[in-house]
Amino acid sequence: MNNATYPAKITGLRRQHLFFALCWTAYFSTYIGRLNFTASLAAISAAAGFSQSELGLVSSGFFVGYGIFQLVWGFAGDRLDPVRMVFSGVLCSGLLNLAMACASSPGLMAVIWTLNGAAQSAVWSPLLRLTVERLPGVEAMRASVRYSTTVPFGTLAAYGLAALCSAMGCWRAVFAAAGLFLTAIALCWLRGMRVLAPPLPAAPARPLPHRLPAVLALICLAALASGMIRDGIQTWTPTYLHDIYGLDNTFAIVLTFTLPLVNLCGVYMGKWANDHIFHSEAVTAAAAFLAACALLAAPALGVRLPLWACLALLGLCAALMLAVNTMLVTLVPLRLQSTGRISALSGLLNSATYAGSTLSGYGMGLLLERSGWPAALLGLCAGALAASLLCATAAHGWKRLRG
């Protein structure tokens, strides 16, 4: 996507930094407004008396709303004004968080949280398109990779806020605080982007390369596997530490959320390996999946590692999955920006990732109930190995597509 197509590139360094800060903060805020529920599960269950299955339904509602509407808003994001789409998504999420603070039944909470997923799905794909349109090529690539750092920082912020509100004895406060924060960020976004990014006509869509559908299908399946592995590790690590090492649940949760700090390494580790070693997002993702499979092999075969080694292993696996996410969900659409469908492509791949996240909760739980931890971990190993083979298969076609 060149400057002839998009003449309004932001060239001043100060304005570029302000643009990036607005984009990063907007996407960061969405993690606070989605992970606050997961972080407050224990407090809500204890205070409101809701069952685990009722709360699980609420949590699943977000993934359903997000995954389905990611496709809808992804395709719409190539035609509608991305600034207004991001504003609408963040603002609606803020209002829905405020509504969640007032909800008193699990059924109503499930409806609100499903709508929250639909609202937040309108943020990522238009934001990526906006970044490509407004920043010069190198800066657009750098900014898009840095957006991945919102995942660990947003996770830490959401769980920190939930812990604070839990200590205060009011689980509803976590939704009220998130709602007010998201609303404020939405208003700041709109005011700043009116100056930095006035509306532009949408780029004309071009015919898709004939190899793209087959390659994209393989990459989508790999993205689905990355969501399964990433959320399988994040969701079930506290239970694993409690069952295998006998840790207190609270201490296990505290240890688990040191993982986002390690995840930061995955963003830059993956980008460095892609730029200096593999020179292909598909090959980099294949290598990351294969490394994750190797790391998980020992506990999957029943080897009881020291606690520090287990935490390091799980942290590295989580970092590798964030590297995969950066390759497949961020860089693949950027490499295909000349098609004029960057929002649709990123929406499709992000939707696949969240489909994997949805499957991981049910699939891991089922394996644990029927066969225990070795089978569950072998399932993650098998998923990582299969995804590595998918990416390796896609690599030849992807090399031609990325240029």
Side-chain angles (χ1 to χ4, degrees), residues 24-25 27-44 62 93 97 113 116 120 149-168 170-179 181-182 234 253 257 260-261:
W24 191 95
T25 307
Y27 199 53
F28 163 79
S29 72
T30 64
Y31 279 97
I32 296 177
R34 75 174 74 165
L35 296 177
N36 52 351
F37 177 79
T38 305
S40 304
L41 280 173
I44 296 172
F62 180 91
S93 180
N97 267 269
W113 218 234
N116 187 38
Q120 290 207 6
T149 61
T150 58
V151 178
F153 282 118
T155 301
L156 288 171
Y159 278 85
L161 178 63
L164 179 62
C165 293
S166 179
M168 294 166 54
C170 182
W171 63 266
R172 295 182 186 278
V174 73
F175 297 103
F181 179 67
L182 281 155
Q234 186 70 46
I253 291 170
F257 291 102
L261 296 174

Side-chain angles (χ1 to χ4, degrees), residues 264-291:
L264 279 172
C265 303
V267 178
Y268 297 103
M269 177 175 65
K271 183 66 166 59
W272 184 89
N274 191 55
D275 290 345
H276 296 91
I277 301 175
F278 300 115
H279 309 291
S280 166
E281 289 74 23
V283 177
T284 304
F289 276 123
L290 193 60

